[in-house]
Coordinates of all heavy atoms in Angstrom, one line a residue:
Y29 N -121.6 -126.6 -122.0 CA -122.4 -126.9 -120.8 C -121.9 -126.1 -119.6 O -122.2 -126.4 -118.5 CB -122.3 -128.4 -120.5 CG -122.9 -129.3 -121.6 CD1 -122.1 -130.1 -122.4 CD2 -124.3 -129.3 -121.8 CE1 -122.7 -130.9 -123.4 CE2 -124.9 -130.0 -122.8 CZ -124.1 -130.8 -123.6 OH -124.6 -131.6 -124.5
K30 N -121.0 -125.2 -119.9 CA -120.5 -124.2 -118.9 C -119.8 -124.9 -117.7 O -119.8 -124.5 -116.6 CB -121.6 -123.4 -118.3 CG -122.3 -122.5 -119.4 CD -123.3 -121.6 -118.9 CE -123.9 -120.9 -120.1 NZ -124.6 -119.8 -119.9
R31 N -119.1 -126.1 -118.1 CA -118.3 -126.8 -117.1 C -117.0 -127.1 -117.9 O -116.9 -127.2 -119.1 CB -118.9 -128.1 -116.8 CG -120.2 -128.0 -116.0 CD -120.7 -129.4 -115.5 NE -120.7 -130.3 -116.6 CZ -121.6 -131.2 -116.9 NH1 -122.7 -131.2 -116.1 NH2 -121.5 -132.1 -117.8
S32 N -115.9 -127.1 -117.1 CA -114.6 -127.4 -117.7 C -114.5 -128.9 -117.9 O -115.0 -129.7 -117.1 CB -113.5 -126.8 -116.9 OG -113.2 -127.6 -115.8
L33 N -113.7 -129.3 -118.9 CA -113.4 -130.7 -119.2 C -112.7 -131.3 -118.0 O -112.9 -132.4 -117.5 CB -112.6 -130.8 -120.5 CG -112.2 -132.2 -120.8 CD1 -113.3 -133.2 -121.0 CD2 -111.3 -132.2 -122.0
A34 N -111.7 -130.5 -117.5 CA -110.9 -131.0 -116.3 C -111.8 -131.3 -115.1 O -111.6 -132.3 -114.5 CB -109.8 -130.0 -116.0
D35 N -112.7 -130.4 -114.8 CA -113.6 -130.6 -113.7 C -114.4 -131.9 -113.9 O -114.6 -132.7 -112.9 CB -114.5 -129.4 -113.4 CG -113.7 -128.2 -112.9 OD1 -112.6 -128.5 -112.3 OD2 -114.2 -127.1 -113.0
D36 N -115.0 -132.1 -115.1 CA -115.8 -133.3 -115.3 C -114.9 -134.5 -115.2 O -115.4 -135.5 -114.6 CB -116.4 -133.2 -116.7 CG -117.6 -132.3 -116.8 OD1 -118.1 -131.9 -115.7 OD2 -118.1 -132.1 -117.9
L37 N -113.7 -134.5 -115.8 CA -112.9 -135.7 -115.7 C -112.4 -136.0 -114.3 O -112.3 -137.1 -113.9 CB -111.7 -135.5 -116.6 CG -112.0 -135.6 -118.1 CD1 -110.8 -135.2 -118.9 CD2 -112.5 -136.9 -118.5
K38 N -112.1 -134.9 -113.5 CA -111.8 -135.1 -112.1 C -112.8 -135.9 -111.3 O -112.6 -136.7 -110.5 CB -111.5 -133.8 -111.4 CG -110.2 -133.2 -111.7 CD -110.0 -131.9 -111.0 CE -108.8 -131.1 -111.4 NZ -108.7 -129.8 -110.8
S39 N -114.1 -135.5 -111.6 CA -115.2 -136.2 -110.9 C -115.5 -137.6 -111.4 O -116.0 -138.4 -110.7 CB -116.4 -135.3 -110.9 OG -116.9 -135.2 -112.2
D40 N -115.2 -137.9 -112.7 CA -115.5 -139.1 -113.3 C -114.4 -140.2 -113.1 O -114.7 -141.4 -113.2 CB -115.8 -139.0 -114.8 CG -117.1 -138.3 -115.0 OD1 -117.9 -138.2 -114.1 OD2 -117.3 -137.8 -116.2
L41 N -113.1 -139.8 -113.0 CA -112.0 -140.7 -112.9 C -111.4 -140.8 -111.5 O -111.7 -140.0 -110.7 CB -110.9 -140.2 -113.9 CG -111.3 -140.0 -115.3 CD1 -110.2 -139.3 -116.1 CD2 -111.7 -141.3 -116.0
S42 N -110.6 -141.8 -111.4 CA -109.9 -142.0 -110.1 C -108.6 -142.7 -110.3 O -108.3 -143.2 -111.4 CB -110.8 -142.8 -109.1 OG -111.0 -144.1 -109.6
G43 N -107.8 -142.8 -109.3 CA -106.6 -143.5 -109.3 C -105.6 -143.0 -110.3 O -105.5 -141.8 -110.6
D44 N -104.8 -144.0 -110.8 CA -103.7 -143.7 -111.7 C -104.2 -143.1 -113.1 O -103.6 -142.3 -113.7 CB -102.8 -144.9 -111.9 CG -102.0 -145.2 -110.7 OD1 -101.6 -144.3 -110.0 OD2 -101.9 -146.4 -110.4
C45 N -105.4 -143.6 -113.5 CA -106.0 -143.1 -114.7 C -106.3 -141.6 -114.6 O -106.0 -140.8 -115.5 CB -107.2 -143.9 -115.0 SG -108.0 -143.4 -116.6
K46 N -106.8 -141.2 -113.5 CA -107.1 -139.8 -113.2 C -105.8 -139.0 -113.2 O -105.7 -137.9 -113.8 CB -107.8 -139.7 -111.9 CG -108.1 -138.2 -111.5 CD -108.8 -138.2 -110.2 CE -109.2 -136.8 -109.7 NZ -109.9 -136.8 -108.5
K47 N -104.7 -139.5 -112.6 CA -103.4 -138.8 -112.5 C -102.9 -138.6 -113.9 O -102.4 -137.6 -114.3 CB -102.5 -139.6 -111.7 CG -102.8 -139.6 -110.2 CD -101.9 -140.5 -109.4 CE -102.4 -140.7 -108.0 NZ -101.6 -141.7 -107.3
L48 N -103.0 -139.7 -114.7 CA -102.5 -139.6 -116.1 C -103.2 -138.6 -116.9 O -102.6 -137.7 -117.6 CB -102.6 -141.0 -116.8 CG -102.2 -141.1 -118.3 CD1 -100.8 -140.7 -118.5 CD2 -102.5 -142.4 -118.8
I49 N -104.5 -138.6 -116.9 CA -105.4 -137.7 -117.7 C -105.1 -136.3 -117.2 O -105.0 -135.4 -118.1 CB -106.9 -138.1 -117.6 CG1 -107.1 -139.5 -118.2 CG2 -107.7 -137.0 -118.3 CD1 -106.7 -139.7 -119.7
M50 N -105.1 -136.0 -115.9 CA -104.8 -134.7 -115.4 C -103.4 -134.2 -115.9 O -103.3 -133.0 -116.2 CB -104.9 -134.6 -113.9 CG -106.3 -134.9 -113.4 SD -107.5 -133.7 -113.9 CE -108.5 -134.6 -115.0
A51 N -102.4 -135.1 -115.9 CA -101.1 -134.7 -116.3 C -101.1 -134.3 -117.8 O -100.5 -133.4 -118.2 CB -100.1 -135.8 -116.0
L52 N -101.9 -135.1 -118.6 CA -102.0 -134.8 -120.0 C -102.7 -133.4 -120.3 O -102.3 -132.7 -121.2 CB -102.7 -135.9 -120.8 CG -101.9 -137.2 -120.9 CD1 -102.8 -138.3 -121.4 CD2 -100.7 -137.0 -121.8
L53 N -103.7 -133.1 -119.4 CA -104.4 -131.9 -119.6 C -103.6 -130.7 -119.2 O -103.9 -129.6 -119.6 CB -105.7 -131.9 -118.8 CG -106.8 -132.8 -119.3 CD1 -108.0 -132.8 -118.3 CD2 -107.3 -132.3 -120.7
E54 N -102.6 -130.9 -118.4 CA -101.7 -129.8 -118.0 C -100.8 -129.3 -119.2 O -100.3 -128.2 -119.1 CB -100.8 -130.2 -116.9 CG -101.5 -130.3 -115.6 CD -100.6 -130.8 -114.5 OE1 -99.3 -130.9 -114.7 OE2 -101.1 -131.1 -113.4
C55 N -100.7 -130.1 -120.2 CA -100.0 -129.7 -121.4 C -98.5 -129.3 -121.1 O -98.0 -128.3 -121.6 CB -100.7 -128.6 -122.2 SG -102.3 -129.0 -122.8
A56 N -97.9 -130.1 -120.3 CA -96.5 -129.8 -119.9 C -95.5 -130.6 -120.7 O -94.3 -130.6 -120.4 CB -96.3 -130.2 -118.4
R57 N -95.9 -131.2 -121.8 CA -95.0 -131.9 -122.7 C -94.0 -131.0 -123.4 O -94.4 -130.0 -124.0 CB -95.8 -132.7 -123.7 CG -94.9 -133.6 -124.6 CD -95.6 -134.4 -125.6 NE -96.7 -135.2 -125.0 CZ -96.5 -136.3 -124.4 NH1 -95.3 -136.8 -124.2 NH2 -97.5 -137.0 -123.9
S58 N -92.8 -131.3 -123.3 CA -91.7 -130.6 -124.0 C -91.8 -130.8 -125.5 O -92.2 -131.9 -125.9 CB -90.4 -131.0 -123.5 OG -89.3 -130.4 -124.3
E59 N -91.5 -129.9 -126.3 CA -91.5 -130.0 -127.7 C -90.1 -130.2 -128.2 O -89.8 -130.4 -129.4 CB -92.1 -128.8 -128.4 CG -93.6 -128.7 -128.1 CD -94.4 -129.8 -128.6 OE1 -94.2 -130.4 -129.6 OE2 -95.4 -130.2 -127.8
V60 N -89.1 -130.2 -127.3 CA -87.7 -130.3 -127.7 C -87.1 -131.7 -127.4 O -87.3 -132.2 -126.4 CB -86.9 -129.2 -126.8 CG1 -85.4 -129.3 -127.1 CG2 -87.4 -127.8 -127.0
F61 N -86.4 -132.2 -128.4 CA -85.8 -133.5 -128.3 C -84.6 -133.3 -127.3 O -83.7 -132.4 -127.6 CB -85.3 -134.0 -129.6 CG -84.4 -135.2 -129.5 CD1 -85.0 -136.4 -129.1 CD2 -83.1 -135.2 -129.9 CE1 -84.2 -137.6 -129.0 CE2 -82.3 -136.3 -129.8 CZ -82.9 -137.5 -129.4
D62 N -84.5 -134.1 -126.3 CA -83.5 -133.9 -125.3 C -82.7 -135.2 -125.1 O -83.1 -136.0 -124.3 CB -84.1 -133.4 -123.9 CG -83.0 -133.1 -122.9 OD1 -81.8 -133.2 -123.2 OD2 -83.4 -132.7 -121.8
P63 N -81.6 -135.4 -125.8 CA -80.9 -136.6 -125.7 C -80.2 -136.8 -124.4 O -79.9 -138.0 -124.0 CB -79.8 -136.5 -126.8 CG -79.7 -135.1 -127.1 CD -81.0 -134.5 -126.8
S64 N -80.1 -135.8 -123.6 CA -79.4 -135.9 -122.3 C -80.2 -136.7 -121.3 O -79.6 -137.2 -120.3 CB -79.0 -134.6 -121.7 OG -80.2 -133.8 -121.4
V65 N -81.5 -136.9 -121.5 CA -82.3 -137.6 -120.5 C -82.7 -139.0 -120.9 O -83.3 -139.7 -120.1 CB -83.6 -136.8 -120.2 CG1 -83.4 -135.4 -119.6 CG2 -84.5 -136.7 -121.4
I66 N -82.3 -139.4 -122.1 CA -82.7 -140.7 -122.6 C -82.2 -141.8 -121.7 O -83.0 -142.7 -121.2 CB -82.2 -140.9 -124.0 CG1 -82.9 -139.9 -125.0 CG2 -82.4 -142.4 -124.5 CD1 -82.4 -139.9 -126.4
D67 N -80.9 -141.9 -121.4 CA -80.4 -143.0 -120.6 C -81.0 -143.0 -119.2 O -81.4 -144.0 -118.6 CB -78.9 -143.0 -120.6 CG -78.3 -143.4 -121.9 OD1 -78.9 -144.1 -122.7 OD2 -77.1 -142.9 -122.2
S68 N -81.0 -141.8 -118.6 CA -81.5 -141.8 -117.2 C -83.0 -142.1 -117.1 O -83.5 -142.8 -116.2 CB -81.2 -140.4 -116.6 OG -81.9 -139.4 -117.2
D69 N -83.8 -141.6 -118.1 CA -85.2 -141.9 -118.1 C -85.5 -143.4 -118.4 O -86.4 -144.0 -117.8 CB -86.0 -141.1 -119.1 CG -86.2 -139.6 -118.7 OD1 -85.9 -139.3 -117.5 OD2 -86.7 -138.8 -119.5
A70 N -84.7 -144.0 -119.3 CA -84.9 -145.4 -119.6 C -84.6 -146.2 -118.3 O -85.3 -147.2 -118.0 CB -84.0 -145.8 -120.7
G71 N -83.5 -145.8 -117.6 CA -83.2 -146.5 -116.4 C -84.2 -146.3 -115.3 O -84.6 -147.3 -114.6
A72 N -84.8 -145.1 -115.2 CA -85.8 -144.9 -114.2 C -87.1 -145.7 -114.5 O -87.7 -146.2 -113.6 CB -86.1 -143.4 -114.2
L73 N -87.4 -145.7 -115.8 CA -88.6 -146.5 -116.2 C -88.4 -148.0 -115.9 O -89.3 -148.7 -115.4 CB -89.0 -146.3 -117.6 CG -89.6 -144.9 -118.0 CD1 -89.7 -144.8 -119.5 CD2 -90.9 -144.7 -117.2
Y74 N -87.2 -148.5 -116.2 CA -86.9 -149.9 -115.9 C -87.0 -150.2 -114.4 O -87.6 -151.1 -114.0 CB -85.6 -150.3 -116.5 CG -85.2 -151.7 -116.3 CD1 -85.7 -152.7 -117.1 CD2 -84.5 -152.1 -115.2 CE1 -85.4 -154.0 -116.9 CE2 -84.2 -153.5 -115.0 CZ -84.7 -154.4 -115.9 OH -84.4 -155.7 -115.6
K75 N -86.4 -149.3 -113.7 CA -86.3 -149.5 -112.2 C -87.8 -149.4 -111.6 O -88.1 -150.0 -110.6 CB -85.4 -148.4 -111.6 CG -85.2 -148.6 -110.1 CD -84.2 -147.5 -109.6 CE -84.0 -147.7 -108.2 NZ -83.0 -146.6 -107.7
A76 N -88.6 -148.5 -112.2 CA -90.0 -148.3 -111.7 C -90.9 -149.5 -112.1 O -92.0 -149.6 -111.5 CB -90.5 -147.0 -112.3
G77 N -90.5 -150.3 -113.0 CA -91.4 -151.4 -113.4 C -90.9 -152.8 -113.4 O -91.7 -153.7 -113.4
E78 N -89.6 -153.0 -113.4 CA -89.1 -154.4 -113.5 C -88.4 -154.8 -112.2 O -87.9 -154.0 -111.5 CB -88.0 -154.5 -114.6 CG -88.6 -154.4 -116.0 CD -89.4 -155.6 -116.4 OE1 -89.1 -156.7 -116.0 OE2 -90.4 -155.4 -117.1
G79 N -88.5 -156.1 -111.9 CA -87.8 -156.6 -110.8 C -88.3 -156.2 -109.4 O -87.6 -156.3 -108.4
K80 N -89.6 -155.9 -109.4 CA -90.2 -155.5 -108.1 C -91.7 -155.8 -108.1 O -92.3 -156.0 -109.2 CB -89.9 -154.1 -107.7 CG -90.6 -153.1 -108.7 CD -90.2 -151.6 -108.4 CE -91.4 -150.9 -107.8 NZ -91.2 -149.6 -107.5
I81 N -92.3 -155.9 -107.0 CA -93.7 -156.1 -106.9 C -94.4 -154.8 -107.1 O -94.1 -153.8 -106.4 CB -94.1 -156.7 -105.6 CG1 -93.4 -158.1 -105.5 CG2 -95.6 -156.8 -105.4 CD1 -93.6 -158.8 -104.1
G82 N -95.3 -154.7 -108.1 CA -95.9 -153.5 -108.4 C -95.1 -152.6 -109.2 O -94.0 -152.9 -109.6
T83 N -95.6 -151.4 -109.6 CA -94.9 -150.5 -110.4 C -95.0 -149.1 -109.8 O -95.9 -148.8 -109.0 CB -95.4 -150.4 -111.8 OG1 -96.8 -150.1 -111.8 CG2 -95.2 -151.7 -112.6
D84 N -94.1 -148.2 -110.2 CA -94.1 -146.8 -109.7 C -94.8 -146.0 -110.8 O -94.1 -145.4 -111.7 CB -92.7 -146.3 -109.5 CG -92.6 -144.9 -109.0 OD1 -93.7 -144.3 -108.8 OD2 -91.5 -144.4 -108.8
E85 N -96.1 -146.0 -110.8 CA -96.9 -145.3 -111.8 C -96.6 -143.8 -111.9 O -96.6 -143.2 -113.0 CB -98.4 -145.5 -111.6 CG -98.9 -146.9 -111.9 CD -98.7 -147.9 -110.8 OE1 -98.2 -147.5 -109.7 OE2 -99.0 -149.1 -111.0
K86 N -96.3 -143.2 -110.7 CA -96.0 -141.8 -110.7 C -94.8 -141.5 -111.7 O -94.8 -140.5 -112.4 CB -95.7 -141.3 -109.3 CG -95.4 -139.9 -109.2 CD -95.1 -139.5 -107.7 CE -94.8 -138.0 -107.7 NZ -94.4 -137.6 -106.3
R87 N -93.8 -142.3 -111.6 CA -92.6 -142.1 -112.5 C -92.9 -142.2 -113.9 O -92.5 -141.5 -114.8 CB -91.5 -143.1 -112.1 CG -90.2 -142.7 -112.7 CD -89.6 -141.5 -112.0 NE -88.3 -141.3 -112.6 CZ -87.8 -140.1 -113.0 NH1 -88.6 -139.0 -112.9 NH2 -86.6 -140.0 -113.5
F88 N -93.7 -143.3 -114.3 CA -94.2 -143.5 -115.6 C -95.0 -142.3 -116.1 O -94.7 -141.8 -117.2 CB -95.0 -144.7 -115.8 CG -94.3 -146.0 -115.9 CD1 -93.9 -146.7 -114.7 CD2 -93.9 -146.5 -117.1 CE1 -93.2 -147.9 -114.8 CE2 -93.1 -147.7 -117.2 CZ -92.8 -148.4 -116.1
I89 N -95.9 -141.8 -115.3 CA -96.7 -140.7 -115.7 C -95.9 -139.4 -115.9 O -96.0 -138.7 -116.9 CB -97.9 -140.5 -114.7 CG1 -98.9 -141.6 -114.8 CG2 -98.5 -139.1 -114.9 CD1 -99.9 -141.6 -113.6
E90 N -95.0 -139.2 -115.0 CA -94.1 -138.0 -115.1 C -93.3 -138.0 -116.4 O -93.3 -137.0 -117.2 CB -93.1 -138.0 -114.0 CG -92.1 -136.9 -114.1 CD -91.0 -137.0 -113.1 OE1 -91.1 -137.8 -112.1 OE2 -89.9 -136.4 -113.3
I91 N -92.7 -139.1 -116.7 CA -91.8 -139.2 -117.9 C -92.6 -139.2 -119.2 O -92.4 -138.4 -120.1 CB -90.9 -140.4 -117.9 CG1 -89.8 -140.2 -116.7 CG2 -90.2 -140.6 -119.2 CD1 -89.0 -141.4 -116.5
L92 N -93.7 -140.0 -119.2 CA -94.4 -140.1 -120.5 C -95.3 -139.0 -120.8 O -95.8 -138.9 -121.9 CB -95.2 -141.4 -120.4 CG -94.4 -142.7 -120.4 CD1 -95.2 -143.9 -120.2 CD2 -93.4 -142.8 -121.6
T93 N -95.6 -138.1 -119.9 CA -96.4 -136.9 -120.1 C -95.6 -135.6 -120.3 O -96.2 -134.6 -120.6 CB -97.5 -136.7 -119.1 OG1 -96.9 -136.5 -117.8 CG2 -98.4 -137.9 -119.0
T94 N -94.3 -135.6 -120.0 CA -93.6 -134.4 -120.0 C -92.4 -134.4 -121.1 O -92.0 -133.4 -121.5 CB -92.9 -134.0 -118.7 OG1 -92.0 -135.1 -118.3 CG2 -94.0 -133.8 -117.6
R95 N -92.0 -135.6 -121.6 CA -91.0 -135.6 -122.6 C -91.6 -135.5 -124.0 O -92.7 -135.9 -124.2 CB -90.2 -137.0 -122.5 CG -89.6 -137.2 -121.1 CD -88.6 -136.2 -120.7 NE -87.8 -136.6 -119.6 CZ -88.0 -136.1 -118.3 NH1 -88.9 -135.2 -118.1 NH2 -87.2 -136.5 -117.3
S96 N -90.8 -135.0 -124.9 CA -91.2 -134.9 -126.3 C -91.4 -136.3 -126.9 O -90.8 -137.2 -126.4 CB -90.2 -134.1 -127.1 OG -89.0 -134.8 -127.3
F97 N -92.2 -136.3 -127.9 CA -92.4 -137.6 -128.6 C -91.2 -138.2 -129.2 O -90.9 -139.4 -129.0 CB -93.6 -137.5 -129.6 CG -94.9 -137.3 -129.0 CD1 -95.6 -136.1 -129.2 CD2 -95.5 -138.3 -128.2 CE1 -96.9 -135.9 -128.7 CE2 -96.7 -138.1 -127.6 CZ -97.4 -136.9 -127.9
P98 N -90.3 -137.4 -129.8 CA -89.0 -138.0 -130.2 C -88.2 -138.5 -129.1 O -87.5 -139.5 -129.2 CB -88.3 -136.8 -131.0 CG -89.4 -135.9 -131.4 CD -90.5 -136.0 -130.3
T99 N -88.2 -137.8 -127.9 CA -87.4 -138.3 -126.8 C -88.0 -139.6 -126.3 O -87.2 -140.6 -126.0 CB -87.4 -137.3 -125.7 OG1 -86.9 -136.0 -126.2 CG2 -86.6 -137.7 -124.5
I100 N -89.3 -139.8 -126.2 CA -89.9 -141.0 -125.8 C -89.6 -142.1 -126.8 O -89.4 -143.3 -126.3 CB -91.5 -140.8 -125.6 CG1 -91.8 -139.9 -124.5 CG2 -92.2 -142.1 -125.4 CD1 -93.2 -139.4 -124.4
A101 N -89.6 -141.8 -128.0 CA -89.3 -142.8 -129.0 C -87.9 -143.4 -128.8 O -87.6 -144.6 -128.9 CB -89.4 -142.3 -130.4
K102 N -86.9 -142.5 -128.5 CA -85.5 -142.9 -128.3 C -85.5 -143.7 -126.9 O -84.7 -144.7 -126.8 CB -84.6 -141.7 -128.2 CG -84.4 -141.1 -129.6 CD -83.6 -142.1 -130.5 CE -83.3 -141.5 -131.8 NZ -82.6 -142.4 -132.7
I103 N -86.2 -143.3 -125.9 CA -86.2 -144.1 -124.7 C -86.7 -145.5 -124.9 O -86.2 -146.5 -124.4 CB -87.1 -143.4 -123.6 CG1 -86.5 -142.0 -123.2 CG2 -87.4 -144.3 -122.4 CD1 -87.4 -141.2 -122.4
A104 N -87.8 -145.6 -125.7 CA -88.3 -146.9 -126.0 C -87.3 -147.8 -126.8 O -87.2 -149.0 -126.7 CB -89.6 -146.8 -126.8

């Protein structure tokens, strides 16, 4: 249709869902297992979501769209 997927999604989505999808489309996910970030990322995710009103979606999106799948599995 001579339109980019990213442009269509930008116009159709909003809020945190839009931020998440755009981050996924950037393809910035590492393919390397990085054990050095596991503890700090787990702590950051906990701090961004527990014990407070609301959540820090930006931090969740950053970590979950840029870390390798094995790293995310260890964080979980």
Side-chain angles (χ1 to χ4, degrees):
Y29 298 110
K30 299 185 185 197
R31 297 185 311 224
S32 75
L33 176 61
D35 289 339
D36 280 349
L37 289 172
K38 281 181 190 176
S39 65
D40 290 344
L41 301 172
S42 64
D44 293 322
C45 180
K46 179 179 180 177
K47 292 174 191 173
L48 173 64
I49 298 301
M50 293 298 108
L52 289 170
L53 287 176
E54 289 176 8
C55 300
R57 182 177 308 282
S58 172
E59 296 298 321
V60 179
F61 173 67
D62 187 358
S64 69
V65 300
I66 293 170
D67 289 335
S68 63
D69 282 353
L73 290 173
Y74 182 82
K75 187 176 178 182
E78 289 292 326
K80 62 184 251 179
I81 297 174
T83 56
D84 182 1
E85 287 84 3
K86 182 179 178 183
R87 192 71 176 135
F88 278 90
I89 291 169
E90 175 194 343
I91 292 172
L92 297 176
T93 62
T94 60
R95 303 298 191 255
S96 69
F97 290 117
T99 304
I100 292 171
K102 289 293 185 182
I103 291 169

